[in-house]
Short mmCIF file of all heavy atoms in Angstrom, two decimals:
data_model
loop_
_atom_site.label_atom_id
_atom_site.label_comp_id
_atom_site.label_asym_id
_atom_site.label_seq_id
_atom_site.Cartn_x
_atom_site.Cartn_y
_atom_site.Cartn_z
N LEU L 19 13.07 -7.05 20.39
CA LEU L 19 13.40 -7.26 19.00
C LEU L 19 12.71 -8.46 18.37
O LEU L 19 12.52 -8.38 17.15
CB LEU L 19 14.90 -7.25 18.82
CG LEU L 19 15.53 -5.89 19.16
CD1 LEU L 19 17.03 -5.96 18.87
CD2 LEU L 19 14.88 -4.80 18.35
N LEU L 20 12.43 -9.47 19.10
CA LEU L 20 11.79 -10.64 18.51
C LEU L 20 10.39 -10.16 17.98
O LEU L 20 9.98 -10.59 16.91
CB LEU L 20 11.69 -11.77 19.46
CG LEU L 20 12.99 -12.55 19.76
CD1 LEU L 20 12.73 -13.61 20.82
CD2 LEU L 20 13.51 -13.16 18.47
N GLU L 21 9.68 -9.40 18.79
CA GLU L 21 8.42 -8.89 18.34
C GLU L 21 8.54 -8.01 17.14
O GLU L 21 7.75 -8.14 16.21
CB GLU L 21 7.75 -8.11 19.51
CG GLU L 21 6.47 -7.46 19.13
CD GLU L 21 5.92 -6.51 20.16
OE1 GLU L 21 6.34 -6.50 21.30
OE2 GLU L 21 5.01 -5.70 19.73
N GLN L 22 9.58 -7.18 17.07
CA GLN L 22 9.81 -6.34 15.90
C GLN L 22 10.07 -7.16 14.65
O GLN L 22 9.56 -6.86 13.61
CB GLN L 22 10.90 -5.36 16.17
CG GLN L 22 10.62 -4.27 17.17
CD GLN L 22 9.48 -3.36 16.74
OE1 GLN L 22 9.32 -3.00 15.55
NE2 GLN L 22 8.63 -2.97 17.63
N LEU L 23 10.89 -8.16 14.79
CA LEU L 23 11.21 -9.05 13.66
C LEU L 23 9.96 -9.79 13.19
O LEU L 23 9.76 -9.86 11.96
CB LEU L 23 12.26 -10.03 14.11
CG LEU L 23 13.15 -10.68 12.98
CD1 LEU L 23 13.80 -9.64 12.11
CD2 LEU L 23 14.16 -11.59 13.68
N GLU L 24 9.14 -10.21 14.09
CA GLU L 24 7.93 -10.87 13.68
C GLU L 24 6.95 -9.88 13.00
O GLU L 24 6.35 -10.23 12.00
CB GLU L 24 7.21 -11.47 14.99
CG GLU L 24 5.99 -12.24 14.67
CD GLU L 24 6.25 -13.55 13.83
OE1 GLU L 24 7.32 -14.07 13.93
OE2 GLU L 24 5.28 -13.90 13.11
N ARG L 25 6.91 -8.64 13.46
CA ARG L 25 6.05 -7.67 12.87
C ARG L 25 6.56 -7.35 11.44
O ARG L 25 5.73 -7.13 10.51
CB ARG L 25 6.00 -6.38 13.69
CG ARG L 25 5.14 -6.58 14.97
CD ARG L 25 5.05 -5.29 15.77
NE ARG L 25 4.50 -4.26 15.08
CZ ARG L 25 4.76 -2.93 15.31
NH1 ARG L 25 5.55 -2.64 16.25
NH2 ARG L 25 4.24 -2.01 14.58
N LEU L 26 7.88 -7.23 11.24
CA LEU L 26 8.45 -7.00 9.90
C LEU L 26 8.06 -8.14 8.98
O LEU L 26 7.70 -7.94 7.85
CB LEU L 26 9.96 -6.87 9.97
CG LEU L 26 10.49 -5.54 10.38
CD1 LEU L 26 11.98 -5.63 10.65
CD2 LEU L 26 10.18 -4.49 9.36
N ASP L 27 8.18 -9.35 9.45
CA ASP L 27 7.86 -10.56 8.66
C ASP L 27 6.35 -10.50 8.27
O ASP L 27 6.00 -10.77 7.16
CB ASP L 27 8.23 -11.80 9.42
CG ASP L 27 8.19 -13.07 8.59
OD1 ASP L 27 8.56 -13.00 7.41
OD2 ASP L 27 7.66 -14.07 9.07
N MET L 28 5.49 -10.27 9.23
CA MET L 28 4.08 -10.19 8.99
C MET L 28 3.70 -9.04 8.01
O MET L 28 2.86 -9.25 7.14
CB MET L 28 3.30 -10.02 10.34
CG MET L 28 3.29 -11.26 11.13
SD MET L 28 2.44 -11.19 12.73
CE MET L 28 1.75 -9.58 12.93
N ALA L 29 4.39 -7.91 8.10
CA ALA L 29 4.17 -6.84 7.26
C ALA L 29 4.49 -7.20 5.77
O ALA L 29 3.78 -6.96 4.78
CB ALA L 29 4.96 -5.60 7.65
N PHE L 30 5.66 -7.84 5.59
CA PHE L 30 6.13 -8.31 4.33
C PHE L 30 5.11 -9.37 3.69
O PHE L 30 4.78 -9.25 2.52
CB PHE L 30 7.54 -8.88 4.37
CG PHE L 30 8.16 -9.13 3.02
CD1 PHE L 30 8.50 -8.09 2.15
CD2 PHE L 30 8.36 -10.42 2.58
CE1 PHE L 30 9.02 -8.30 0.92
CE2 PHE L 30 8.93 -10.68 1.36
CZ PHE L 30 9.23 -9.64 0.55
N GLU L 31 4.71 -10.26 4.53
CA GLU L 31 3.76 -11.24 4.05
C GLU L 31 2.45 -10.60 3.69
O GLU L 31 1.81 -10.99 2.71
CB GLU L 31 3.51 -12.32 5.13
CG GLU L 31 4.69 -13.26 5.32
CD GLU L 31 5.01 -14.05 4.00
OE1 GLU L 31 4.10 -14.49 3.29
OE2 GLU L 31 6.21 -14.19 3.75
N SER L 32 2.01 -9.63 4.42
CA SER L 32 0.74 -8.91 4.10
C SER L 32 0.86 -8.19 2.78
O SER L 32 -0.08 -8.16 1.94
CB SER L 32 0.46 -7.93 5.19
OG SER L 32 -0.63 -7.14 4.90
N ILE L 33 1.99 -7.55 2.49
CA ILE L 33 2.22 -6.89 1.21
C ILE L 33 2.20 -7.88 0.06
O ILE L 33 1.57 -7.65 -0.98
CB ILE L 33 3.50 -6.06 1.24
CG1 ILE L 33 3.39 -4.88 2.14
CG2 ILE L 33 3.95 -5.65 -0.16
CD1 ILE L 33 4.66 -4.18 2.44
N LYS L 34 2.85 -9.03 0.24
CA LYS L 34 2.87 -10.08 -0.79
C LYS L 34 1.44 -10.57 -1.05
O LYS L 34 1.02 -10.74 -2.16
CB LYS L 34 3.75 -11.24 -0.36
CG LYS L 34 5.22 -10.94 -0.51
CD LYS L 34 6.20 -12.04 -0.08
CE LYS L 34 5.69 -13.45 -0.03
NZ LYS L 34 6.69 -14.42 0.50
N LYS L 35 0.68 -10.72 0.03
CA LYS L 35 -0.79 -11.17 -0.11
C LYS L 35 -1.53 -10.18 -0.90
O LYS L 35 -2.29 -10.53 -1.78
CB LYS L 35 -1.32 -11.39 1.26
CG LYS L 35 -2.73 -11.91 1.25
CD LYS L 35 -3.23 -12.11 2.67
CE LYS L 35 -4.71 -12.49 2.70
NZ LYS L 35 -5.28 -12.57 4.02
N ASP L 36 -1.34 -8.86 -0.60
CA ASP L 36 -2.06 -7.82 -1.38
C ASP L 36 -1.68 -7.87 -2.83
O ASP L 36 -2.53 -7.72 -3.70
CB ASP L 36 -1.76 -6.45 -0.74
CG ASP L 36 -2.30 -6.17 0.57
OD1 ASP L 36 -3.16 -6.95 1.02
OD2 ASP L 36 -1.93 -5.20 1.19
N LEU L 37 -0.35 -7.96 -3.14
CA LEU L 37 0.05 -7.94 -4.47
C LEU L 37 -0.46 -9.17 -5.29
O LEU L 37 -0.98 -9.07 -6.37
CB LEU L 37 1.60 -7.95 -4.55
CG LEU L 37 2.28 -6.67 -4.17
CD1 LEU L 37 3.81 -6.86 -4.03
CD2 LEU L 37 1.96 -5.53 -5.09
N PHE L 38 -0.34 -10.38 -4.66
CA PHE L 38 -0.80 -11.57 -5.38
C PHE L 38 -2.35 -11.52 -5.48
O PHE L 38 -2.95 -12.07 -6.45
CB PHE L 38 -0.33 -12.86 -4.69
CG PHE L 38 1.13 -13.08 -4.92
CD1 PHE L 38 2.04 -13.18 -3.90
CD2 PHE L 38 1.61 -13.22 -6.25
CE1 PHE L 38 3.39 -13.35 -4.15
CE2 PHE L 38 2.97 -13.44 -6.48
CZ PHE L 38 3.87 -13.50 -5.45
N GLY L 39 -3.02 -10.96 -4.50
CA GLY L 39 -4.46 -10.87 -4.60
C GLY L 39 -4.87 -10.02 -5.72
O GLY L 39 -5.80 -10.29 -6.49
N ARG L 40 -4.23 -8.86 -5.91
CA ARG L 40 -4.48 -7.96 -7.01
C ARG L 40 -4.16 -8.62 -8.32
O ARG L 40 -4.92 -8.53 -9.30
CB ARG L 40 -3.70 -6.67 -6.84
CG ARG L 40 -3.84 -5.63 -7.93
CD ARG L 40 -5.23 -5.01 -7.94
NE ARG L 40 -5.62 -4.43 -6.72
CZ ARG L 40 -5.53 -3.18 -6.42
NH1 ARG L 40 -4.99 -2.34 -7.28
NH2 ARG L 40 -5.95 -2.72 -5.25
N LEU L 41 -3.10 -9.30 -8.41
CA LEU L 41 -2.64 -10.06 -9.63
C LEU L 41 -3.74 -11.07 -9.95
O LEU L 41 -4.16 -11.22 -11.16
CB LEU L 41 -1.32 -10.79 -9.40
CG LEU L 41 -0.78 -11.55 -10.57
CD1 LEU L 41 -0.49 -10.66 -11.77
CD2 LEU L 41 0.51 -12.29 -10.15
N LEU L 42 -4.26 -11.81 -9.04
CA LEU L 42 -5.30 -12.79 -9.26
C LEU L 42 -6.57 -12.16 -9.83
O LEU L 42 -7.17 -12.69 -10.77
CB LEU L 42 -5.61 -13.59 -7.99
CG LEU L 42 -6.69 -14.70 -8.12
CD1 LEU L 42 -6.24 -15.72 -9.11
CD2 LEU L 42 -6.88 -15.32 -6.75
N GLN L 43 -6.94 -11.01 -9.23
CA GLN L 43 -8.13 -10.28 -9.77
C GLN L 43 -7.94 -9.90 -11.24
O GLN L 43 -8.83 -10.09 -12.05
CB GLN L 43 -8.40 -9.00 -8.89
CG GLN L 43 -8.94 -9.26 -7.53
CD GLN L 43 -8.99 -8.00 -6.75
OE1 GLN L 43 -8.65 -6.92 -7.22
NE2 GLN L 43 -9.44 -8.10 -5.47
N VAL L 44 -6.77 -9.33 -11.58
CA VAL L 44 -6.53 -8.92 -12.97
C VAL L 44 -6.52 -10.12 -13.88
O VAL L 44 -7.12 -10.12 -14.90
CB VAL L 44 -5.16 -8.19 -13.05
CG1 VAL L 44 -4.73 -7.93 -14.47
CG2 VAL L 44 -5.26 -6.84 -12.31
N TYR L 45 -5.82 -11.22 -13.47
CA TYR L 45 -5.74 -12.42 -14.22
C TYR L 45 -7.14 -12.98 -14.50
O TYR L 45 -7.48 -13.34 -15.60
CB TYR L 45 -4.85 -13.42 -13.54
CG TYR L 45 -4.77 -14.78 -14.21
CD1 TYR L 45 -4.15 -14.93 -15.45
CD2 TYR L 45 -5.36 -15.92 -13.62
CE1 TYR L 45 -4.05 -16.09 -16.05
CE2 TYR L 45 -5.27 -17.12 -14.30
CZ TYR L 45 -4.62 -17.21 -15.49
OH TYR L 45 -4.55 -18.42 -16.14
#
C-alpha cells in the first residue's frame, strides 16, 4: 500500500502539472 499511495500522489501531481502547463501555454 505504501507504493500504491505514492503512485496515487504522483498521478495527482502529474495531472496538476499537465493542467498548469496548459494554463501557462494559453496565458
Side-chain angles (χ1 to χ4, degrees):
L19 294 184
L20 287 177
E21 177 189 340
Q22 291 295 324
L23 201 54
E24 184 64 30
R25 287 180 59 206
L26 279 171
D27 191 42
M28 288 178 3
F30 189 68
E31 288 301 319
S32 174
I33 289 169
K34 283 178 24 183
K35 183 179 175 185
D36 290 349
L37 290 172
F38 287 121
R40 180 66 57 96
L41 180 64
L42 181 60
Q43 288 174 0
V44 169
Y45 177 68

